Structures are given as C-alpha cells and as structure tokens.
Amino acid sequence: SDWRLPTIKELYSLGMFFGAEPGPGQLTCTKYIDTNYFSVGYGDVNSLSHGSLGTERIIDGQIVSSTLYVTTTFGALEAVFGFNFIDGRIKGYPTTYIVPECGTAKHFYVLYVRGNSAYGTNQFVNNGNGTITDNATGLMWMQNDNGTGVLWKDALNYAENLTYAGYSDWRLPDTKELQSIVDYSRSPSTTSSAAINPMFNCTQITNEGGAADYPWYWSNTTFSSGSQTDGTSAAYFCFGRAMGYFSGLGWTDIHGAGSQRSDPKPRSFTGYTYNGNGYYNANSPQGDAVRIYNYVRPVRSAVITGINNQDSNILDSYTLFQNYPNPFNPATSIQYNIPQSSFVNLIIYDLLGNEIERLVNENKSAGSHRIDWNASNFPSGVYFCRIQAGDFVNNIKMILMK
C-alpha cells in the first residue's frame, strides 16, 4: 500500500537508449524501455483532445513523475517533469493544456514505484583539485565545464584526450550519469543558477531570447530516430532553460531546466530555421531550439576494480558505500574504503538473516575497493551486505527487483 509516483530520477532509471523515436507516419516504434518487463502506452491518434493543435500523436504517451518544475514553462504554466518512453525525452509538461478548447487537465500515463526513497540523492565531496566526487555513484566530475560550445564529435575528443588533476581516463558521460548531477530544485529563474549543485561551476551563456542562461551538456549517448540504425543525433541535458520558439511568446523556456532532449551530431538542417542565435524546428509545435554546439562536463570512475584508488580525501576512514545501482537487476557494485591493511569479510544476507554469499574473505591492502555481486540465482527481495574490517562493522540494504 506504499506505492507512489516516482521522482524524475527514479523514472529515468528505466530508460533504455536502444529505442528509436518514431518517424513521420509511423504508428509503432522501438520503445525506450525493456518491454520484456514493462508495458507503456502510445498516444491515441484517434483522440481530438488537442483541439486546434490536432489529434494526439503516438508520441503523446508521456509518463508523469512527482517532480514539479520549480518555475513555469510557456511563460506562466505550471509544469511537471515526465519521461516519454516513446520518443526518449525528459520534458517539463504543462499540467494544464495550452489551448482553451482542450479543457483544463492534461492526462498522463503512470508507472508507480515503492521503496528506496533515497534513490538519486547525491553525496558530493569537493576534492580541492578542481574535481568533485559523488560517493553515491562512484563518479568523479570536472568541477568546471569546458567553457565553450562544441560539436558532439569534438566533445568526445575533448573528454577522451583530457589529462586533468593527475587523471587521463576522463570521458563524456552517458545520459544516466549526466542526469545524476541535475538538481531539480534549481533553475535560472528561481535560483539564478544552473540546475546543478553550486559546488559546480557552469559557464554563463546568452540564450536564443537574449537572456542570461546556462548551457546544455552533451552526453555520449546516441539518439536514434525512425530506426535503431539512424544514429545521427545525440542526447544532452539542459542545465539552463530548455528554449523553444512559440507563436505569440517568442523565445521562451518550453520544457524546463533538467530536460533531456537530442540534437544533430550534426547533419543537414533541412526543415530547420536559423534566426541568428540558434536553430529551431519550424515543424515542431513548440519550435524547440536546436543547438549543435553544446558544452562538456567530463567524468571518470572514481573507483577502479582491483586497483587501489589514490583519492586520499575519501580514504581516511572505513566506509561501506551504498551499492549502485540500487534497486538492481541482476548485478550491482559494492564499494568500500579501508584506510589500512585489514582482513575483510563482506557477506550477503537475506531478509531473515541467513548468510547466502561471502564476497570477500581475505586480507585487503589500504585503499578503495569495489566488487560486483551477480544475484541472478536469487529471487527478488531485500538483502543486506555486511562488512567487517578490523573493528569496523557496517551494513547496507540492497533491493533486487527482477
């Protein structure tokens, strides 16, 4: 009886980018979710609910989250974030329709969730060297971005050829990694900042409407349209306003800071209009801005399996971190730090306290360690991981969901 609407981070955890956005006239598509486990509906192409905007499209099958946008879209409309498993995007959707004849309440699909209310909570540590580690995910981020908008291929090259703070294994983040650092409690209009923790620095830009704003950041994730083999676009996250050109409003925040969209890598711009500041899609109801020059926020794994990590600021005490991902299916990673050489026991217990697997039972050198647990032979449920290293004992709760 404790089911609830998921947050946008919880909902996005189900997204799978093997999908393909439907092309014009398509009535089916490869959905952005594992349909072996989940069923999500299309928009009703026979519905007249869009009034003067026409009938619904099959992509009008948005699934709503509990995360309200902290400001408004279309100038003055309350918006709530949702993920669309038909067209593979996060947007802030107005909770009321934008044309009067459509009625007052917008309708969404829902996928309810329960458990782990701490999912998506960051544990940031400023390392004092221009990097920030999130102990919730085991990822290290550049504190600054690259400072200028670049093409997608140049974003890849920049990240993968970067040597910074003594590390040379930087890379462009994937969409889920990038979304993990979005702060949905912030926006340019409400906090005069990007939608990110103020530990991070974001280059200020001027957007298509001439206002002070913050960049969109490329991910390494290809976005396919029409078919799974059309990989001419890439996904990105809007850490500033998600701009669009809407009749009667001009350039405005259409989808909200924290949206995930996609733009060309680039390709030809047939069907797009250029107004001197940015491209926009003349065929889109919202005239979404199209930016082929986006910014870069490099990332690296702060923990390397089997190799001691030298990030001494997070190694000064015994620590057992929350496993990631959690919930998981069927494998998850468990990280622990030990400040000195110790005999380590790392044991998995079921909900009744029965020991079901011993992952570590040996001397370990000082440093940060990670081990993966594959639970494919165990049923769904709650499990506990217990560490004992010297006098240090701690437990974490893990949720296997098949």
Side-chain angles (χ1 to χ4, degrees):
S1 60
D2 57 345
W3 294 97
R4 56 182 170 81
L5 274 179
T7 67
I8 190 58
K9 290 193 174 183
E10 291 168 331
L11 184 61
Y12 196 61
S13 73
L14 299 179
M16 304 291 286
F17 279 84
F18 50 49
E21 177 190 26
Q26 286 184 230
L27 296 180
T28 61
C29 70
T30 304
K31 297 176 181 178
Y32 291 82
I33 194 168
D34 191 335
T35 54
N36 291 313
Y37 296 94
F38 297 96
S39 175
V40 295
Y42 290 115
D44 182 2
V45 296
N46 296 313
S47 169
L48 298 177
S49 64
H50 275 46
S52 62
L53 295 180
T55 60
E56 284 190 1
R57 305 156 295 174
I58 69 166
I59 64 172
D60 292 317
Q62 302 93 350
I63 294 185
V64 72
S65 79
S66 63
T67 306
L68 284 167
Y69 188 27
V70 291
T71 183
T72 57
T73 57
F74 293 92
L77 294 181
E78 179 187 63
V80 62
F81 285 103
F83 186 63
N84 193 325
F85 293 97
I86 311 302
D87 73 359
R89 294 179 175 92
I90 292 176
K91 291 181 179 178
Y93 298 99
T95 55
T96 56
Y97 281 116
I98 58 178
V99 288
E101 65 267 34
C102 293
T104 57
K106 177 171 172 55
H107 292 79
F108 298 92
Y109 285 106
V110 292
L111 279 172
Y112 293 115
V113 72
R114 58 180 297 275
N116 194 15
S117 59
Y119 182 89
T121 303
N122 301 109
Q123 300 175 29
F124 290 130
V125 176
N126 189 330
N127 299 318
N129 60 354
T131 69
I132 293 173
T133 296
D134 186 357
N135 286 334
T137 61
L139 297 173
M140 178 186 289
W141 296 88
M142 286 272 294
Q143 189 171 19
N144 299 320
D145 57 37
N146 66 316
T148 189
V150 296
L151 297 173
W152 185 75
K153 65 183 180 67
D154 295 325
L156 285 176
N157 289 334
Y158 174 85
E160 292 176 3
N161 291 295
L162 178 66
T163 297
Y164 188 81
Y167 302 102
S168 58
D169 57 347
W170 297 97
R171 55 184 170 79
L172 206 57
D174 65 37
T175 54
K176 290 189 179 181
E177 291 170 330
L178 195 52
Q179 198 226 13
S180 76
I181 59 171
V182 176
D183 186 341
Y184 286 95
S185 70
R186 308 180 68 85
S187 79
S189 296
T190 52
T191 57
S192 298
S193 71
I196 195 171
N197 188 288
M199 284 189 185
F200 292 88
N201 300 318
C202 291
T203 300
Q204 192 172 85
I205 66 169
T206 300
N207 67 24
E208 290 81 357
D213 210 340
Y214 297 91
W216 304 347
Y217 290 90
W218 283 122
S219 78
N220 69 16
T221 303
T222 287
F223 185 91
S224 295
S225 182
S227 72
Q228 290 175 290
T229 57
D230 178 10
T232 53
S233 294
Y236 59 84
F237 266 90
C238 304
F239 283 79
R241 299 174 181 89
M243 299 295 289
Y245 190 89
F246 193 75
S247 177
L249 294 175
W251 285 107
T252 187
D253 188 359
I254 294 293
H255 300 302
S259 295
Q260 176 256 302
R261 306 194 328 202
S262 61
D263 276 337
K265 289 183 177 177
R267 58 184 175 185
S268 65
F269 283 88
T270 302
Y272 293 86
T273 301
Y274 184 70
N275 75 336
N277 294 311
Y279 291 91
Y280 68 94
N281 186 347
N283 298 319
S284 168
Q286 298 88 27
D288 291 353
V290 177
R291 297 182 190 171
I292 61 173
Y293 297 100
N294 290 316
Y295 285 62
V296 187
R297 178 78 63 183
V299 70
R300 61 178 294 274
S301 296
V303 180
I304 304 173
T305 303
I307 302 175
N308 290 340
N309 189 298
Q310 298 305 310
D311 300 334
S312 58
N313 61 305
I314 61 171
L315 296 179
D316 56 0
S317 62
Y318 289 97
T319 308
L320 175 63
F321 296 101
Q322 185 65 51
N323 62 303
Y324 182 82
N326 189 44
F328 65 98
N329 177 32
T332 189
S333 292
I334 302 165
Q335 177 190 344
Y336 60 95
N337 294 347
I338 53 176
Q340 61 190 31
S341 179
S342 305
F343 191 90
V344 175
N345 274 309
L346 195 70
I347 304 171
I348 306 296
Y349 295 90
D350 64 18
L351 191 59
L352 299 177
N354 300 310
E355 178 180 329
I356 62 170
E357 192 160 351
R358 191 171 292 238
L359 301 180
V360 180
N361 184 36
E362 60 183 344
N363 279 305
K364 289 289 187 180
S365 58
S368 184
H369 303 269
R370 186 180 71 185
I371 188 166
D372 295 332
W373 181 44
N374 189 318
S376 57
N377 294 328
F378 299 99
S380 297
V382 175
Y383 294 87
F384 295 91
C385 178
R386 180 177 185 269
I387 189 173
Q388 181 170 359
D391 295 329
F392 174 74
V393 179
N394 198 11
N395 301 276
I396 56 172
K397 183 170 73 172
M398 308 184 297
I399 301 173
L400 174 61
M401 297 181 66
K402 292 186 174 182

